[in-house]
Amino acid sequence: MSRARKPDWLKTRPPSGERFTDIKQSLRERDLNTVCEEANCPNLGECWSGRNGPGTATFMLMGERCSRGCNFCDVETGGMDALDPDEPEQVADAVADIGLDYVVLTSVDRDDLPDQGAGHFAETIRAIKRRDPSILVECLIPDFRGEERLVRQIIDAEPDVLAHNIETVDRLQWPVRDRRAGYEQSLSVLRQADRESDIHTKTSLMLGVGEYAHEVYQTLSDLRQVSVDVVTLGQYLQPSRSHLEVSEYVHPDAFETWRRVAEEELGFLYCASGPMVRSSYRAGELFVEAVLE
Ligand code: SF4
Ligand code: SF4
């Protein structure tokens, strides 16, 4: 169904309100980036307000340019930014100032740095926890090209959730992801986190890139094999005409079926599944509901 008109279930209203304005101001004062804004995320109003529990925002660390070029992603490739050594403290200040209870940290890939950015990531987790250990931190990390010592640096900083996105089924890893990424490599990152810590693990898949149902099922099963606790499923949306085309707009009922399969048959702690779901969608509320209560 390429180039098809977007169905009605993908239409959203722009975010507004006092809390939205306050958060935006605090971020601008510190020159910080959030994925929520950069990606024009349709869930911004819902996540930032945290109507039914902790609000969630996703901070993008280490610049706006990535060393990789995935075919579904709108982040620019190459010409890497210099690391800002003050960023960990700035992010921690913003989290305290905004009053977030649940923070998602993610980053561009930094294949250009000797430690691929693992140290900077870990320092940001520690800076947030130093201010208030009760703030829940989810970190959505790159694959660090499968280097276990770098994944361990993140584990040692003790986030509450360690997420790494497998993005799609085995057969479609390329052309969907950069050639340096891979199915087995991503599974090994998640396996290591489970093996070496009690931290909850999480991953995410996009639907609508050309996958078959049996491949989605296989992927979910493989993820459970490495004891992943939480999975999210969302619709892929093409950021521009030069990106991968949408192969299908998956109906909300099909997302609901996958949620049931993931939770009731395969045993994930929870599965957020829906056309507009992104990996950090209402992450704070759902984590508290499913894990802490
Ligand atoms: Fe985008 Fe991440 Fe791929 Fe970089 S590695 S292009 S940020 S999806
Ligand atoms: Fe931000 Fe993630 Fe929520 Fe989108 S889904 S608004 S990126 S926290």
Side-chain angles (χ1 to χ4, degrees):
M1 210 201 284
S2 59
R3 301 253 180 271
R5 204 171 59 87
K6 271 190 202 167
D8 288 346
W9 63 72
L10 288 170
K11 293 184 180 144
T12 51
R13 272 192 255 136
S16 59
E18 210 173 301
R19 180 141 175 86
F20 171 71
T21 315
D22 288 351
I23 295 179
K24 230 176 142 74
Q25 192 180 334
S26 178
L27 295 170
R28 288 304 76 78
E29 279 166 10
R30 297 178 172 85
D31 202 18
L32 295 173
N33 301 314
T34 60
V35 179
C36 319
E37 291 175 285
E38 295 288 319
N40 249 331
C41 183
N43 305 313
L44 207 152
E46 221 179 332
C47 286
W48 284 16
S49 67
R51 269 177 226 117
N52 308 308
T56 304
T58 300
F59 288 86
M60 178 83 136
L61 307 176
M62 295 183 264
E64 295 176 57
R65 306 180 68 90
C66 184
S67 55
R68 299 197 186 175
C70 299
N71 289 321
F72 66 90
C73 176
D74 206 17
V75 173
E76 287 190 36
T77 303
M80 306 306 294
D81 299 317
L83 265 198
D84 173 3
D86 296 333
E87 187 176 51
E89 295 297 332
Q90 292 277 16
V91 169
D93 283 346
V95 169
D97 185 31
I98 295 166
L100 288 169
D101 314 287
Y102 194 104
V103 187
V104 183
L105 302 176
T106 190
S107 73
V108 289
D109 276 24
R110 295 296 309 241
D111 296 280
D112 56 307
L113 300 174
D115 74 348
Q116 297 178 53
H120 191 90
F121 221 124
E123 186 42 48
T124 311
I125 299 167
R126 290 197 173 96
I128 294 169
K129 293 281 190 184
R130 261 198 306 275
R131 278 174 184 61
D132 182 352
S134 72
I135 295 172
L136 298 167
V137 180
E138 171 177 324
C139 52
L140 171 59
I141 60 169
D143 57 29
F144 296 126
R145 297 200 296 268
E147 282 194 50
E148 293 200 351
R149 71 187 172 95
L150 300 180
V151 178
R152 197 164 303 122
Q153 283 193 43
I154 307 294
I155 293 171
D156 289 346
E158 300 185 6
D160 299 277
V161 177
L162 190 147
H164 171 66
N165 288 347
I166 200 156
E167 309 290 6
T168 185
V169 301
D170 193 4
R171 178 178 57 87
L172 296 174
Q173 289 288 310
W174 195 88
V176 171
R177 301 172 81 188
D178 185 279
R179 281 189 190 272
R180 280 163 285 187
Y183 192 77
E184 285 305 325
Q185 185 165 258
S186 286
L187 283 178
S188 78
V189 169
L190 293 159
R191 184 186 296 111
Q192 184 188 348
D194 174 66
R195 197 180 59 221
E196 296 184 6
S197 73
D198 295 329
I199 298 167
H200 288 95
T201 53
K202 176 173 173 179
T203 195
S204 187
L205 277 110
M206 300 173 287
L207 301 188
V209 294
E211 68 288 336
Y212 295 114
H214 73 271
E215 294 176 306
V216 176
Y217 188 88
Q218 184 62 53
T219 306
L220 292 174
S221 304
D222 291 344
L223 291 164
R224 280 303 294 144
Q225 277 294 317
V226 297
S227 302
V228 170
D229 298 304
V230 176
V231 66
T232 71
L233 303 169
Q235 170 70 51
Y236 166 61
L237 296 175
Q238 187 184 30
S240 81
R241 281 178 174 256
S242 59
H243 289 84
L244 190 75
E245 284 188 16
V246 172
S247 133
E248 181 192 2
Y249 288 114
V250 178
H251 194 275
D253 291 348
F255 277 103
E256 175 54 17
T257 302
W258 283 121
R259 185 193 65 74
R260 284 206 301 272
V261 168
E263 289 182 356
E264 293 165 20
E265 186 183 326
L266 295 170
F268 285 92
L269 268 181
Y270 71 87
C271 168
S273 178
M276 303 304 259
V277 165
R278 298 296 173 262
S279 69
S280 47
Y281 172 68
R282 290 174 56 222
E285 292 175 53
L286 295 171
F287 181 77
V288 168
E289 250 172 58
V291 180
L292 300 185
E293 281 182 353

Short mmCIF file of all heavy atoms in Angstrom, two decimals, residues 34-37 39 41-48 56-58 104 276-283, ligand 2:
data_model
loop_
_atom_site.label_atom_id
_atom_site.label_comp_id
_atom_site.label_asym_id
_atom_site.label_seq_id
_atom_site.Cartn_x
_atom_site.Cartn_y
_atom_site.Cartn_z
N THR A 34 15.22 17.01 22.63
CA THR A 34 14.42 15.82 22.94
C THR A 34 13.99 15.18 21.63
O THR A 34 13.76 15.86 20.63
CB THR A 34 13.14 16.15 23.74
OG1 THR A 34 12.33 17.03 22.97
CG2 THR A 34 13.46 16.74 25.09
N VAL A 35 13.88 13.86 21.67
CA VAL A 35 13.37 13.14 20.50
C VAL A 35 11.91 13.55 20.28
O VAL A 35 11.45 13.66 19.15
CB VAL A 35 13.44 11.61 20.74
CG1 VAL A 35 12.89 10.85 19.54
CG2 VAL A 35 14.85 11.19 21.02
N CYS A 36 11.21 13.80 21.38
CA CYS A 36 9.80 14.17 21.31
C CYS A 36 9.59 15.32 20.32
O CYS A 36 8.70 15.29 19.48
CB CYS A 36 9.29 14.59 22.69
SG CYS A 36 9.91 13.56 24.04
N GLU A 37 10.45 16.33 20.42
CA GLU A 37 10.31 17.49 19.52
C GLU A 37 10.97 17.24 18.17
O GLU A 37 10.41 17.55 17.13
CB GLU A 37 10.96 18.71 20.16
CG GLU A 37 10.21 19.22 21.37
CD GLU A 37 10.98 20.36 22.01
OE1 GLU A 37 11.99 20.08 22.67
OE2 GLU A 37 10.58 21.50 21.84
N ALA A 39 11.54 14.61 16.52
CA ALA A 39 10.83 13.68 15.64
C ALA A 39 9.38 14.09 15.47
O ALA A 39 8.60 13.34 14.89
CB ALA A 39 10.92 12.27 16.22
N CYS A 41 7.03 14.02 17.51
CA CYS A 41 6.32 12.82 17.93
C CYS A 41 4.85 13.13 18.22
O CYS A 41 4.52 14.08 18.93
CB CYS A 41 6.97 12.23 19.18
SG CYS A 41 6.18 10.69 19.67
N PRO A 42 3.95 12.32 17.67
CA PRO A 42 2.52 12.57 17.84
C PRO A 42 2.03 12.39 19.27
O PRO A 42 0.92 12.80 19.60
CB PRO A 42 1.87 11.53 16.91
CG PRO A 42 2.89 10.46 16.76
CD PRO A 42 4.22 11.14 16.85
N ASN A 43 2.88 11.78 20.13
CA ASN A 43 2.41 11.50 21.49
C ASN A 43 2.86 12.55 22.50
O ASN A 43 2.66 12.39 23.69
CB ASN A 43 2.97 10.14 21.95
CG ASN A 43 2.61 9.04 20.98
OD1 ASN A 43 1.47 8.93 20.58
ND2 ASN A 43 3.60 8.26 20.57
N LEU A 44 3.45 13.62 22.00
CA LEU A 44 4.09 14.59 22.89
C LEU A 44 3.17 15.08 24.02
O LEU A 44 3.55 15.07 25.19
CB LEU A 44 4.60 15.75 22.04
CG LEU A 44 5.78 16.51 22.59
CD1 LEU A 44 6.59 17.12 21.47
CD2 LEU A 44 5.32 17.56 23.53
N GLY A 45 1.96 15.49 23.64
CA GLY A 45 1.04 16.01 24.66
C GLY A 45 0.78 14.98 25.74
O GLY A 45 0.86 15.26 26.94
N GLU A 46 0.52 13.76 25.32
CA GLU A 46 0.18 12.68 26.24
C GLU A 46 1.37 12.31 27.15
O GLU A 46 1.22 12.14 28.35
CB GLU A 46 -0.19 11.45 25.40
CG GLU A 46 -1.37 10.68 25.93
CD GLU A 46 -1.66 9.50 25.00
OE1 GLU A 46 -1.36 9.57 23.80
OE2 GLU A 46 -2.18 8.52 25.52
N CYS A 47 2.56 12.20 26.55
CA CYS A 47 3.72 11.77 27.34
C CYS A 47 4.16 12.85 28.32
O CYS A 47 4.41 12.57 29.49
CB CYS A 47 4.89 11.44 26.42
SG CYS A 47 4.71 9.90 25.54
N TRP A 48 4.30 14.08 27.86
CA TRP A 48 4.81 15.14 28.73
C TRP A 48 3.85 15.45 29.87
O TRP A 48 4.27 15.78 30.96
CB TRP A 48 5.10 16.42 27.91
CG TRP A 48 6.36 16.32 27.11
CD1 TRP A 48 7.05 15.19 26.80
CD2 TRP A 48 7.07 17.40 26.49
NE1 TRP A 48 8.14 15.49 26.02
CE2 TRP A 48 8.18 16.84 25.81
CE3 TRP A 48 6.88 18.78 26.42
CZ2 TRP A 48 9.10 17.62 25.09
CZ3 TRP A 48 7.79 19.55 25.70
CH2 TRP A 48 8.88 18.97 25.05
N THR A 56 6.70 11.48 30.88
CA THR A 56 7.90 10.95 30.26
C THR A 56 8.39 11.91 29.19
O THR A 56 7.58 12.46 28.44
CB THR A 56 7.59 9.60 29.56
OG1 THR A 56 7.04 8.69 30.49
CG2 THR A 56 8.84 8.98 28.94
N ALA A 57 9.70 12.13 29.13
CA ALA A 57 10.29 12.83 27.99
C ALA A 57 11.55 12.08 27.60
O ALA A 57 12.18 11.45 28.43
CB ALA A 57 10.61 14.27 28.34
N THR A 58 11.89 12.13 26.32
CA THR A 58 13.07 11.42 25.83
C THR A 58 14.15 12.39 25.40
O THR A 58 13.96 13.15 24.45
CB THR A 58 12.69 10.50 24.65
OG1 THR A 58 11.71 9.56 25.09
CG2 THR A 58 13.91 9.73 24.15
N VAL A 104 13.62 9.12 29.75
CA VAL A 104 14.24 8.23 28.78
C VAL A 104 15.43 8.96 28.18
O VAL A 104 15.31 10.10 27.74
CB VAL A 104 13.26 7.82 27.66
CG1 VAL A 104 13.93 6.83 26.70
CG2 VAL A 104 11.98 7.21 28.24
N MET A 276 0.26 4.58 16.90
CA MET A 276 1.06 5.74 17.27
C MET A 276 2.09 5.44 18.35
O MET A 276 2.78 6.35 18.83
CB MET A 276 0.15 6.85 17.79
CG MET A 276 -0.90 7.26 16.83
SD MET A 276 -0.14 7.74 15.28
CE MET A 276 -0.20 9.47 15.46
N VAL A 277 2.18 4.21 18.78
CA VAL A 277 3.12 3.88 19.85
C VAL A 277 4.56 4.01 19.35
O VAL A 277 4.89 3.58 18.26
CB VAL A 277 2.84 2.45 20.38
CG1 VAL A 277 3.99 1.93 21.22
CG2 VAL A 277 1.54 2.43 21.17
N ARG A 278 5.40 4.65 20.17
CA ARG A 278 6.84 4.72 19.91
C ARG A 278 7.52 4.07 21.11
O ARG A 278 6.89 3.87 22.14
CB ARG A 278 7.29 6.19 19.75
CG ARG A 278 6.62 6.88 18.57
CD ARG A 278 7.04 6.23 17.24
NE ARG A 278 6.32 6.73 16.07
CZ ARG A 278 5.27 6.13 15.50
NH1 ARG A 278 4.76 5.04 16.03
NH2 ARG A 278 4.72 6.62 14.40
N SER A 279 8.82 3.79 21.02
CA SER A 279 9.42 2.95 22.06
C SER A 279 9.27 3.55 23.45
O SER A 279 9.20 2.84 24.43
CB SER A 279 10.88 2.65 21.74
OG SER A 279 11.65 3.80 21.86
N SER A 280 9.20 4.88 23.53
CA SER A 280 9.10 5.49 24.86
C SER A 280 7.68 5.98 25.16
O SER A 280 7.48 6.75 26.09
CB SER A 280 10.07 6.66 24.94
OG SER A 280 9.95 7.46 23.79
N TYR A 281 6.72 5.50 24.41
CA TYR A 281 5.33 5.96 24.57
C TYR A 281 4.83 5.73 25.99
O TYR A 281 4.80 4.60 26.47
CB TYR A 281 4.44 5.22 23.56
CG TYR A 281 2.97 5.46 23.74
CD1 TYR A 281 2.41 6.71 23.48
CD2 TYR A 281 2.13 4.45 24.17
CE1 TYR A 281 1.05 6.94 23.64
CE2 TYR A 281 0.77 4.66 24.33
CZ TYR A 281 0.24 5.91 24.07
OH TYR A 281 -1.11 6.12 24.24
N ARG A 282 4.47 6.81 26.69
CA ARG A 282 3.94 6.76 28.06
C ARG A 282 4.76 5.78 28.91
O ARG A 282 4.22 5.05 29.74
CB ARG A 282 2.47 6.34 28.05
CG ARG A 282 1.55 7.43 27.48
CD ARG A 282 0.12 6.95 27.36
NE ARG A 282 -0.40 6.48 28.61
CZ ARG A 282 -1.16 5.38 28.76
NH1 ARG A 282 -1.47 4.65 27.72
NH2 ARG A 282 -1.61 5.03 29.94
N ALA A 283 6.08 5.80 28.68
CA ALA A 283 6.93 4.77 29.30
C ALA A 283 6.81 4.79 30.82
O ALA A 283 6.77 3.73 31.46
CB ALA A 283 8.37 4.96 28.86
FE1 SF4 B 2 8.64 11.64 23.59
FE2 SF4 B 2 8.74 8.98 23.30
FE3 SF4 B 2 6.53 10.13 24.19
FE4 SF4 B 2 7.23 10.44 21.67
S1 SF4 B 2 6.63 8.52 22.62
S2 SF4 B 2 6.53 12.07 23.07
S3 SF4 B 2 9.45 10.50 21.83
S4 SF4 B 2 8.51 10.13 25.24
#
